[in-house]
Amino acid sequence: MAGSVLIVDDETVVIKSCERILAPEGYSVQGATRAREAMDMIKKVDFDLIITDLKMPEVDGIELIRWIRKNNPGSGIVVITGYPSQESIKDSLELGIIDYLPKPFSPQLLIDVTEKAFTAIKATSGKERPEAEEDIETKLKDIMEVIEKYKTKPGALIPVLQKVQGVVGYLPPAVQRIIAKELNLPVSEVHAVVSFYSFFTMKPKGKHNVRVCLGTACYVKRAAEILDKVKEYLGIDEGGITEDKKFSLETVRCLGACGLAPVVVVDHDIYGSVDPVKVSETIKQYT
């Protein structure tokens, strides 16, 4: 079993949809239409991931997240929302949510966000790959110099993450823990920011990074087919790196170029109206 998931939403159709999509992926999925019902379930079951709407009957979504953090701090949290206010984003991030799941969402987006959330949950366990430990050890001095430069400045977290990612190439859990300790922040807050912004990555990348957008506008224009063609051409899965370290592949929710859908980005080059049949020709330019 991939893991246990609780869906909290006052719309039964959303819960049923999540169950239908996630169950075939190996997840154990349960649902609750009210926050208090969810609380009773959480008292009995140690869910790995809780996906909850912010607008809930009886108990506000932010209050529910606070309750979860107090009573079941090991659970990962993803927020379902249509149009989040800046205040709700701030409150949610401070409470250590992993990601947002915007309504309406495609099946592939739900799967992607869930997989990303479980990656972040596993990262908090403290287990580190040997190569990641080596990366950190050899670059620790540079990492500390970056942190020292920004730690006394307001809003230091994002600049530090950007600069450290430039040094290491990515932001593995051990690096996030160093940053959290030096900036006197909860590790959960650092994880939340890294997970929320698509320009941060917890995985190493190849010389050329290929990103396929699976946002709604792109998805309805055959983005899933494009992703399959890229996987086939490069011989890697999403999140993977080719053996020669030349290419890495990832998906994103939105690249801010919906008018160009479907969109593929290679490094900083944006390709719009991509034809799934011809996408390999685009990537071939970088070989």
Side-chain angles (χ1 to χ4, degrees):
M1 190 65 65
S4 57
V5 183
L6 175 63
I7 311 296
V8 188
D9 196 294
D10 59 351
E11 296 182 54
T12 304
V13 65
V14 173
I15 295 175
K16 294 297 184 184
S17 179
C18 290
E19 291 176 343
R20 178 178 55 81
I21 294 166
L22 294 180
E25 299 296 318
Y27 298 100
S28 171
V29 184
Q30 297 186 50
T33 56
R34 292 181 176 273
R36 296 198 185 283
E37 179 187 358
M39 291 175 179
D40 289 338
M41 295 174 71
I42 293 167
K43 290 176 183 177
K44 300 174 183 177
V45 179
D46 187 16
F47 290 98
D48 297 309
L49 177 65
I50 300 168
I51 302 178
T52 180
D53 198 348
L54 283 181
K55 295 182 178 180
M56 295 295 299
E58 301 174 346
V59 178
D60 176 74
I62 295 296
E63 290 303 314
L64 173 59
I65 295 173
R66 288 197 180 100
W67 184 91
I68 295 170
R69 279 285 164 257
K70 180 179 179 181
N71 293 272
N72 196 17
S75 294
I77 301 174
V78 167
V79 164
I80 304 174
T81 186
Y83 301 95
S85 66
Q86 290 297 319
E87 183 178 353
S88 68
I89 290 176
K90 178 177 178 294
D91 290 344
S92 299
L93 288 174
E94 287 179 349
L95 290 168
I97 70 161
I98 295 173
D99 206 348
Y100 279 97
L101 182 64
K103 285 183 179 179
F105 49 83
S106 66
Q108 188 60 52
L109 176 56
L110 175 61
I111 293 170
D112 290 344
V113 169
T114 302
E115 290 179 349
K116 184 177 180 181
F118 272 89
T119 297
I121 292 166
K122 291 176 182 177
T124 61
S125 67
K127 296 179 180 179
E128 207 67 60
R129 297 178 299 107
E131 57 266 40
E133 294 176 355
E134 183 178 341
D135 286 343
I136 297 162
E137 184 177 346
T138 58
K139 298 172 182 176
L140 183 57
K141 180 180 177 182
D142 294 333
I143 293 171
M144 296 305 295
E145 286 180 356
V146 169
I147 296 173
E148 191 63 31
K149 179 179 179 180
Y150 288 93
K151 69 187 302 181
T152 59
K153 298 180 180 180
L157 179 55
I158 288 181
V160 166
L161 290 171
Q162 289 174 321
K163 295 294 183 180
V164 171
Q165 180 165 285
V167 170
V168 183
Y170 63 118
L171 297 167
V175 167
Q176 294 177 41
R177 290 193 290 273
I178 291 170
I179 292 172
K181 179 181 178 182
E182 296 299 321
L183 296 183
N184 196 27
L185 295 171
V187 175
S188 61
E189 181 175 340
V190 177
H191 272 298
V193 173
V194 172
S195 299
F196 184 74
Y197 293 102
S198 62
F199 49 80
F200 292 133
T201 178
M202 289 187 283
K203 296 181 179 180
K205 295 182 180 180
K207 179 180 179 182
H208 300 294
N209 188 45
V210 181
R211 289 182 289 166
V212 179
C213 182
L214 292 179
T216 304
C218 291
Y219 190 82
V220 299
K221 294 188 176 182
R222 304 169 66 191
E225 292 181 47
I226 292 173
L227 179 60
D228 288 340
K229 291 293 184 181
V230 175
K231 287 180 178 179
E232 181 182 351
Y233 178 73
L234 295 178
I236 57 175
D237 289 323
E238 177 189 347
I241 304 177
T242 56
E243 289 186 6
D244 59 7
K245 311 293 184 184
K246 186 170 286 187
F247 290 97
S248 53
L249 173 63
E250 62 183 23
T251 58
V252 295
R253 284 193 287 168
C254 184
L255 291 165
C258 299
L260 299 176
V263 177
V264 173
V265 175
V266 183
D267 299 334
H268 299 292
D269 302 328
I270 300 174
Y271 296 90
S273 303
V274 176
D275 185 336
V277 177
K278 298 180 179 179
V279 68
S280 60
E281 296 177 13
T282 298
I283 301 173
K284 193 177 295 183
Q285 301 175 49
Y286 297 85
T287 57

